[in-house]
Amino acid sequence: MPAQSILSSDPIAALATPPGQSALGIVRMSGDGVWTLAAHACGHKSIPESWAPRTAQVVTIRDSDGDVLDEGVLLPWKGPHSSTGEDLVEFIGHGSPAALTLVLERFLALGARPAKPGEFTRRGFINGKLTLDQAESVASLIDAKTGAAARSSLRVLMGGLKTQLQMIEESLQDALGLVELELDFAEEEIPIFNRDRFVADVAELLDQLERLSQHARASKYLRNGIHVVIAGETNAGKSTLFNQWLGQERAIVSATPGTTRDYLDAAVDWNGIPVRLVDTAGLRLTEEAIEKEGIRRAQALLEQADVLLWLVSPPDFVLPDERYVTDERLLLIRNKADVGVLTPETLSAKVTAAISATTGDGLDDLQARIVQRLMGGTNYEESLGLEQRHARHLNEAAEALGRSSTLASANASEELIAVEIRAALDALSEITGRIAGDDVLNRIFGRFCIGK
Amino acid sequence: MVDVVVIGGGHAGVEAAAAASRAGASVVLVTRERAALARLSCNPAMGGTAKGQLVKEIDALGGLMGIATDRSAIQYRMLNRSKGPAVWSPRAQTDRDLYTQAIDTLFYERYPDVEIVEDEATGFAVNGDTLTGVRLANVGVLACKTAILCSGTFMRGLTHTGTVQNQSGRFGEPPANHISADLERLGYPLLRFKTGTPPRVYRDSIDLSVMEQQDSEDESWYFSHETTQRYNPQLPCYRAYTVPEAHDGIRARIDESPMYNGTIQSTGPRYCPSIEDKVMRFPDRDRHPLIFEPEGLNNPLMYVNGFSSSMPEEVQLASLRTVPGCEIVRFARPGYAVEYDVVPPHELRATLSTRRIPGLYLAGQINGTSGYEEAAIQGLIAGTNAALTVKGRDPFILRRDEAYGGVLVDDLVTTHPTEPYRMFTSRAEFRLLLRQDNAEERLHEKAFRAGLIPEERYESIRARLDDKSSWIKRLETLKFRRGDLVARDRKPDQLESAAQLLRRPEISLSALLELGNGALPERPDPALLYAIETELRYAGYLDRERRQVEKLRSQEEKRVPDDFDYDIVKALSAEGRQKLETHRPATVGQASRIAGVTPSDLALLVVFLRDRERVAARKQSA
Ligand SMILES: Cc1cc2nc3c(=O)[nH]c(=O)nc-3n(C[C@H](O)[C@H](O)[C@H](O)COP(=O)(O)OP(=O)(O)OC[C@H]3O[C@@H](n4cnc5c(N)ncnc54)[C@H](O)[C@@H]3O)c2cc1C
Ligand SMILES: Nc1nc2c(ncn2[C@@H]2O[C@H](COP(=O)(O)OP(=O)(O)OP(=O)(O)O)[C@@H](O)[C@H]2O)c(=O)[nH]1
Ligand SMILES: [Mg+2]
């Protein structure tokens, strides 16, 4: 059963420039209503009157709270006069992978879906933006069974993962078979669909999917870097830690509280994983204007962090306020371990690591913990092939499976369980391209680079 | 000149003739023997999983099968009752003679204009690719505008029992050989399929008391909208099991089975294995279930469901005699297999007209399907389309999200059958939408537009649907105290809408109505109550399926002209081109379901179709 129509024009979005540090980066969005989506992303309620086809707009992309994600130029196109033949917008931003990813994610949050590899090209193709000659050559290119064009990074890099996915598909097909047997052969003597067994099997499959999702997440960090923000009370030793990891005295360190005002930002490399390290102004109540602004910026940065390192140190051991305490990204780090002050008992259980920013003790260990926490025990090499859209499909499959398991335990009828197993299979087939028909179309077009 | 000549009075043929007549055509039904009208070749039962839904669809489209089933039913059972409403499947045991009589009576009473001619059709008269008449053995050419061939298992029918072979389409009936030869002459390719049937035994030669009795269920429901009561007394079936010795006897003489010694080469249905198949393929099983089904109220015979066989008669008999209760069983006739010709369904359009000779339609077993219900719905679709074509009206095509009939025809025209095709609920990707309880809701518009149901019925269905939606609206807003319905609830005082509450399987609509008596003065009748409850229970899932249908709509509606020249699309893959040329899909959606058509083939097809439209538009404006 084809899940996606070849003729559909729902909004899709993707990075159009290769990931990595470059001067400029482009995020592209095509399909029905993308002008409105873009307007929303810029904080407008509707499309501003000044927006006209092919005229550059200087815009600020904001998150749902109105905070700035990136500034850049927006170029809107009206279908059919665009490369996809549909309404299209291009956002040209500052090229930092982290910022571009945020912009992309904002588009996705507003209703676009991640483009499949080559989907922009396919739409242009189907909407007649290529001449028939070109169409013929494009098609033969797509059909080329050999050669670099036919080899997607996915296939090269994730042979192992694909096998795993196919094994999951096999198990699901088996389970679906048992369910269908009950439904279609009610008159026969057939084995009863064993719900306990099914729930147990699904739990196992969900574990496997979770591991694969971890690969996908790892892949995202490998490409875009881990965003680590160091925060904490004034004088906790944030700048000292920042400098220590940087290997140079970049930030001013002093015993005066409130030394750091504006935030400092640096790129470091942790065993091949790019890390964006940010030192922030110590958070405290202050009336001083510059420091206040620094604190506001620090808080904005906290929102974007993958990891929030909160330093506590003697004598006050100040904890983060309410809203961060339960934040999953938070790691509580006890600094100045070299000073002979005991960690208060109420705190010690919550502390992830004790370090000394001055001596460097415990830093390697902390670094390893952060990587482990975000990327799990994944093999980086394998992870490279997994992309955001794969993560999304894995997630869809996991959600459908979760529902199937809930239904099975709640004694719901088999035909509903079947709906969810099918949904999971559909989601997986978007990655493995196993189902015949339109799904394979997407895979084959996948030989094109995303966003071209 | 007759508008529509239907050949073959089996399940496909009678529905075809009746539907063509309802849709306003003049009809002649040619069949060998009027007494064999809609004869049940195999078991005396109608419906079952997915098939029961088909019968309901036939009834919603004004067809005969539901009415005839009710008139001849001697046992009713709703299969899958323990499961959700989408897979509830009505099934009935029928009296085989009463069934044939019911069909005959329906023609007599309601289709007096359909002329039934007892004759054998031997071929077709054509002029180029235009059909001009049907050749009959006794009276020569019968001139007509369209013909529907529903020859069932009769084309070059060859039956086997052990080494005994007979040229026959069904026990004791001659085959139809000329018509096969004539189809070949006209260029139609033919395939060979096979099916089988179990022995018929004398009821008084078996001891039913040692078997497990299966009675009709008490709850009253019917296949037809017009039935209000059971017509006949109800009879039980009896369940028994084979024993290891039964298997040994078969195994010892397996090389006398025409299926195993290579005499029969053609493919039979995997879902309907013969007893020798079961024994050989599942050697670990030491018993197989058998059901003894009555052939009728006063019929001395029983049908041995589960014991289909083409072994020599004495092997069948010896094997069955090892089964407890069957020690002295006597056969009225042994089981047999039948081989017959079918036309590969890629010859068909979705109207069931053939591309080679558009005036010639095919329906039923001839298209590679098996089963009464599958045959009947095809007959109905073909008959309707033949009539509409004669009247120059739009074709009658059911979509996959609209009817099992739509799934069936779409599957036929997009796949190459490797075994007889039977309907299953799992073939329908929109299974929750295609329920036995909502066939009228799904089909009344199309049925009325094609002339298949009269205006009064259409209006009464509309009124009922209005009633249903107003009930649903009310239940969506009507609030109940949770504590009154949910046992040990944590928030008993919270108010929740009836619609919300019904998503819990343990809460029934009648319980809600009890409570809400003040606000809801009347009560829906049981059928309506069930329909409302189902709609609300499934709401989330139904919405999901409907969204999916919407998503695919543009693709399903994008038409490929029948004369599309695939040669101009040079980059098509070799396999894709061949498959597209063979199946000639009517829409891009259909093309996408043909195995071997690659995504880039599909994309190319769309580009060329757009280009064609642009050229046509330019020509028009010039
Ligand atoms: C031995 C046997 C076993 C079967 N087993 C199964 C089974 O296991 N499962 C299952 O689902 N179904 C089974 N069936 C199939 C079921 O009977 C058919 O699917 C169904 O009857 C097909 O309906 P139909 O209208 O296509 O043809 P039929 O019911 O076969 O009717 C064809 C009619 O056309 C007439 N006819 C044919 N050719 C001509 C002609 N040239 N001129 C005039 N009249 C003609 C015949 O006399 C007959 O009346 C079996 C059938 C047989 C014979
Ligand atoms: N003994 C000890 N002293 C430390 C350690 N880390 C930082 N310090 C000292 O603590 C003081 C504050 O250090 P900073 O790094 O400036 O602290 P900060 O958190 O950046 O402070 P603000 O920028 O003012 O918020 C300095 O005198 C550091 O030398 C440590 O691990 N051990
Ligand atoms: Mg500092």
Side-chain angles (χ1 to χ4, degrees):
Chain A
M1 174 182 72
Q4 194 85 52
S5 165
I6 184 182
L7 296 173
S8 71
S9 54
D10 55 331
I12 51 172
L15 294 176
T17 40
Q21 215 76 35
S22 60
L24 290 174
I26 300 176
V27 184
R28 226 192 241 186
M29 187 158 55
S30 176
D32 299 338
V34 294
W35 281 40
T36 308
L37 284 186
H40 291 166
C42 298
H44 303 300
K45 288 224 152 44
S46 57
I47 302 165
E49 294 207 349
S50 59
W51 288 16
R54 286 179 292 161
T55 57
Q57 311 291 328
V58 178
V59 298
T60 308
I61 307 287
R62 297 168 186 281
D63 65 17
S64 55
D65 289 338
D67 285 332
V68 177
L69 297 176
D70 202 5
E71 287 172 352
V73 172
L74 191 89
L75 205 51
W77 305 76
K78 258 275 163 266
H81 307 291
S82 73
S83 61
T84 55
E86 305 172 332
D87 285 1
L88 178 83
V89 296
E90 290 176 336
F91 172 79
I92 302 147
H94 284 109
S96 123
L100 285 178
T101 304
L102 288 173
V103 171
L104 173 60
E105 281 171 359
R106 182 72 188 127
F107 287 169
L108 300 181
L110 285 167
R113 108 179 128 66
K116 294 172 188 158
E119 198 167 4
F120 283 89
T121 316
R122 189 188 74 184
R123 290 188 175 192
F125 178 41
I126 282 172
N127 289 325
K129 301 311 288 182
L130 303 160
T131 66
L132 291 182
D133 282 351
Q134 283 169 323
E136 298 259 330
S137 58
V138 168
S140 53
L141 195 62
I142 307 166
D143 256 355
K145 295 255 153 51
T146 56
R151 236 176 286 131
S152 74
S153 68
L154 177 67
R155 216 99 47 85
V156 177
L157 287 168
M158 57 171 268
L161 293 183
K162 197 170 160 187
T163 317
Q164 276 187 52
L165 280 181
Q166 282 172 344
M167 277 158 60
I168 295 177
E169 281 182 326
E170 289 295 322
S171 321
L172 286 179
Q173 300 277 16
D174 287 349
L176 186 62
L178 288 175
V179 173
E180 293 295 358
L181 198 62
E182 282 249 326
L183 295 172
D184 266 336
F185 295 88
E187 292 162 280
E188 317 280 326
E189 282 218 324
I190 44 146
I192 303 296
F193 169 60
N194 184 328
R195 285 164 187 262
D196 294 338
R197 173 92 192 275
F198 175 74
V199 171
D201 286 352
V202 167
E204 177 122 337
L205 293 177
L206 281 173
D207 269 358
Q208 290 179 32
L209 284 176
E210 173 52 31
R211 278 200 292 281
L212 292 177
S213 296
Q214 211 156 50
H215 278 287
R217 282 196 295 276
S219 161
K220 176 178 150 199
Y221 294 129
L222 278 176
R223 195 168 344 182
N224 299 334
I226 300 178
H227 191 166
V228 179
V229 173
I230 308 170
E233 64 179 303
T234 49
N235 247 352
K238 300 182 293 294
S239 300
T240 311
L241 175 60
F242 180 78
N243 287 343
Q244 184 67 258
W245 258 333
L246 218 63
Q248 65 184 67
E249 300 297 313
R250 219 357 224 288
I252 302 168
V253 169
S254 91
T256 320
T259 306
T260 309
R261 300 293 180 91
D262 201 355
Y263 69 85
L264 287 168
D265 195 325
V268 294
D269 178 313
W270 289 355
N271 299 327
I273 303 162
V275 174
R276 180 182 171 207
L277 209 56
V278 181
D279 178 24
T280 63
L283 299 178
R284 62 168 180 175
L285 280 176
T286 174
E287 291 309 314
E288 208 255 314
I290 300 176
E291 193 179 348
K292 236 173 131 177
E293 174 61 16
I295 292 173
R296 201 195 64 77
R297 291 188 183 192
Q299 265 161 352
L301 277 164
L302 291 189
E303 292 305 315
Q304 301 168 14
D306 295 317
V307 182
L308 230 161
L309 288 186
W310 188 278
L311 301 196
V312 288
S313 61
D316 297 333
F317 296 101
V318 175
L319 288 173
D321 67 34
E322 276 297 305
R323 63 176 165 151
Y324 294 116
V325 176
T326 52
D327 197 312
E328 283 185 356
R329 301 166 304 163
L330 182 82
L331 289 181
L332 213 54
I333 308 300
R334 200 281 203 214
N335 189 26
K336 307 192 186 177
D338 54 306
V339 185
V341 178
L342 284 179
T343 313
E345 207 145 296
T346 48
L347 205 63
S348 51
K350 297 180 195 153
V351 166
T352 305
I355 59 165
S356 167
T358 320
T359 64
D361 276 352
L363 291 200
D364 285 351
D365 187 44
L366 175 58
Q367 189 175 311
R369 268 166 194 256
I370 293 171
V371 172
Q372 165 71 28
R373 183 186 167 102
L374 292 182
M375 303 173 59
T378 48
N379 175 339
Y380 303 162
E381 279 293 292
E382 273 191 351
S383 299
L384 276 168
L386 275 164
E387 316 198 3
Q388 226 151 345
R389 83 177 178 88
H390 296 140
R392 178 160 160 149
H393 295 314
L394 288 174
N395 200 30
E396 283 166 3
E399 277 173 8
L401 275 187
R403 288 192 299 265
S404 76
S405 165
T406 312
L407 287 168
S409 339
N411 230 2
S413 174
E414 282 84 353
E415 76 279 10
L416 298 182
I417 300 174
V419 168
E420 300 298 1
I421 301 179
R422 286 228 162 80
L425 277 168
D426 281 350
L428 293 181
S429 75
E430 296 276 344
I431 306 176
T432 60
R434 187 161 136 134
I435 293 178
D438 193 35
D439 303 276
V440 188
L441 172 81
N442 303 321
R443 184 172 61 129
I444 292 189
F445 270 94
R447 291 172 191 165
F448 289 90
C449 176
I450 258 197
K452 272 264 175 65
Chain B
M1 180 151 56
V2 186
D3 290 338
V4 181
V5 170
V6 177
I7 303 163
H11 304 280
V14 296
E15 295 290 353
S21 171
R22 286 199 300 285
S26 61
V27 181
V28 172
L29 170 60
V30 180
T31 194
R32 273 264 183 55
E33 198 191 340
R34 181 162 183 157
L37 223 48
R39 179 169 282 172
L40 305 175
S41 318
C42 203
N43 68 336
M46 281 293 164
T49 48
K51 289 168 171 267
Q53 281 87 329
L54 278 171
V55 181
K56 290 282 194 155
E57 289 177 3
I58 291 164
D59 192 66
L61 294 168
L64 315 174
M65 186 170 254
I67 307 168
T69 302
D70 282 333
R71 291 191 181 179
S72 58
I74 53 176
Q75 183 186 103
Y76 282 96
R77 280 176 51 208
M78 186 65 82
L79 305 180
N80 276 340
R81 216 183 246 292
S82 64
K83 308 201 165 42
V87 290
W88 284 26
S89 300
R91 183 182 190 277
Q93 293 295 143
T94 55
D95 177 307
R96 65 168 58 256
D97 300 323
L98 290 181
Y99 191 87
T100 295
Q101 264 173 41
I103 294 287
D104 194 87
T105 308
L106 283 170
F107 271 97
Y108 184 76
E109 289 172 355
R110 302 189 189 178
Y111 299 92
D113 295 340
V114 173
E115 194 186 337
I116 301 181
V117 174
E118 290 192 323
D119 205 338
E120 180 190 347
T122 54
F124 300 96
V126 292
N127 183 358
D129 65 357
T130 307
L131 181 85
T132 58
V134 172
R135 209 177 300 279
L136 303 186
N138 297 333
V139 300
V141 174
L142 180 62
C144 62
K145 295 178 185 155
T146 61
I148 307 173
L149 180 58
C150 311
S151 52
T153 50
F154 285 74
M155 291 203 312
R156 293 200 183 117
L158 183 67
T159 62
H160 301 257
T161 301
T163 53
V164 182
Q165 296 181 4
N166 272 307
Q167 287 212 13
S168 162
R170 185 162 60 196
F171 183 84
E173 296 177 54
N177 293 343
H178 301 294
I179 204 96
S180 277
D182 204 52
L183 286 177
E184 275 174 340
R185 174 184 70 91
L186 294 170
Y188 290 90
L190 297 175
L191 305 172
R192 223 47 196 147
F193 272 12
K194 169 255 163 191
T195 187
T197 196
R200 308 299 194 277
V201 302
Y202 288 101
R203 188 185 186 102
D204 63 9
S205 71
I206 39 185
D207 180 4
L208 295 168
S209 68
V210 302
M211 300 179 189
E212 181 195 328
Q213 182 168 332
Q214 284 184 341
D215 287 311
S216 183
E217 67 178 36
D218 291 333
E219 194 136 340
S220 286
W221 48 264
Y222 310 103
F223 282 90
S224 174
H225 70 286
E226 64 175 61
T227 309
T228 53
Q229 58 170 48
R230 288 185 179 176
Y231 287 88
N232 304 301
Q234 305 289 293
L235 289 185
C237 292
Y238 299 86
R239 193 179 188 74
Y241 292 94
T242 59
V243 290
E245 300 83 82
H247 305 176
D248 295 341
I250 287 170
R251 217 174 278 120
R253 293 182 62 179
I254 193 66
D255 52 350
E256 290 170 65
S257 155
M259 289 299 291
Y260 278 81
N261 65 19
T263 312
I264 296 180
Q265 296 281 351
S266 42
T267 9
R270 272 171 309 169
Y271 46 82
C272 243
S274 59
I275 187 70
E276 50 269 32
D277 258 349
K278 295 183 202 174
V279 168
M280 298 307 288
R281 284 189 13 225
F282 305 99
D284 296 343
R285 290 195 52 173
D286 54 6
R287 66 174 205 179
H288 295 284
L290 302 177
I291 299 175
F292 289 81
E293 303 178 357
E295 292 251 303
L297 283 177
N298 301 309
N299 197 309
L301 304 185
M302 294 197 100
Y303 171 96
V304 193
N305 193 337
F307 205 78
S308 171
S309 179
S310 57
M311 297 291 284
E313 180 168 358
E314 72 272 18
V315 179
Q316 294 182 30
L317 188 63
S319 173
L320 195 57
R321 281 187 169 171
T322 62
V323 174
C326 297
E327 293 79 2
I328 55 163
V329 67
R330 280 178 296 119
F331 281 4
R333 56 173 178 273
Y336 63 92
V338 60
E339 289 184 282
Y340 53 94
D341 285 346
V342 304
V343 177
H346 59 67
E347 291 288 320
L348 301 167
R349 294 197 184 95
T351 56
L352 299 182
S353 128
T354 59
R355 217 170 289 107
R356 223 168 272 277
I357 299 172
L360 176 58
Y361 293 68
L362 308 177
Q365 196 103 359
I366 188 175
N367 289 335
T369 63
S370 118
Y372 312 137
E373 305 82 353
E374 287 86 345
I377 189 81
Q378 289 176 68
L380 197 153
I381 291 169
T384 307
N385 277 305
L388 293 175
T389 305
V390 169
K391 298 175 145 277
R393 293 183 47 199
D394 284 345
F396 173 77
I397 293 180
L398 301 174
R399 295 191 316 264
R400 295 184 71 91
D401 58 283
E402 193 166 60
Y404 276 96
V407 174
L408 188 150
V409 172
D410 190 70
D411 281 350
L412 284 184
V413 300
T414 55
T415 52
H416 191 79
T418 52
E419 65 180 331
Y421 179 103
R422 180 216 195 271
M423 188 46 77
F424 292 108
T425 69
S426 51
R427 293 197 197 268
E429 59 272 50
F430 304 113
R431 172 162 60 192
L432 304 186
L433 294 176
L434 307 185
R435 304 188 306 274
Q436 57 91 20
D437 64 273
N438 68 352
E440 286 190 327
E441 178 169 354
R442 293 184 267 125
L443 298 171
H444 69 290
E445 285 294 344
K446 280 192 175 170
F448 180 58
R449 242 180 293 138
L452 294 175
I453 57 171
E455 183 153 7
E456 316 85 77
R457 183 171 176 204
Y458 173 72
E459 291 303 341
S460 91
I461 295 172
R462 298 265 322 233
R464 222 177 143 72
L465 290 175
D466 286 346
D467 211 16
K468 179 175 155 192
S469 40
S470 73
W471 267 102
I472 288 177
K473 269 206 202 76
R474 260 184 289 173
L475 292 168
E476 271 164 355
T477 50
L478 191 68
K479 299 260 170 38
F480 291 86
R481 228 187 114 255
R482 279 180 33 163
D484 292 342
L485 289 142
V486 185
R488 288 190 302 279
D489 192 55
R490 263 181 288 153
K491 295 178 188 155
D493 285 323
Q494 191 155 319
L495 294 179
E496 211 168 277
S497 77
Q500 206 69 39
L501 284 163
L502 280 171
R503 301 209 178 172
R504 299 162 177 267
E506 72 275 14
I507 295 179
S508 73
L509 181 53
S510 29
L512 282 180
L513 293 177
E514 290 296 325
L515 279 175
N517 255 346
L520 301 164
E522 354 79 279
R523 282 190 130 221
D525 65 71
L528 187 57
L529 185 121
Y530 175 78
I532 296 165
E533 189 176 74
T534 302
E535 192 75 28
L536 289 174
R537 269 204 207 298
Y538 269 144
Y541 284 91
L542 293 176
D543 286 348
R544 240 163 95 182
E545 289 200 347
R546 290 191 183 112
R547 277 201 301 277
Q548 189 71 22
V549 170
E550 255 339 288
K551 226 165 142 187
L552 294 171
R553 177 140 305 174
S554 56
Q555 165 164 321
E556 293 305 323
E557 284 171 0
K558 180 95 194 147
R559 301 201 60 80
V560 186
D562 215 31
D563 62 350
F564 188 79
D565 180 6
Y566 290 99
D567 277 345
I568 63 169
V569 194
K570 299 211 180 48
L572 284 179
S573 69
E575 189 188 1
R577 176 192 312 280
Q578 189 243 321
K579 289 286 172 63
L580 287 166
E581 276 174 349
T582 315
H583 290 275
R584 297 217 149 254
T587 62
V588 172
Q590 259 177 27
S592 75
R593 287 186 288 275
I594 300 173
V597 174
T598 70
S600 74
D601 292 337
L602 215 55
L604 273 171
L605 181 61
V606 173
V607 172
F608 275 76
L609 288 172
R610 291 254 158 96
D611 190 59
R612 214 176 125 121
E613 279 163 18
R614 270 194 293 268
V615 172
R618 219 176 301 132
K619 268 195 198 135
Q620 198 146 43
S621 63

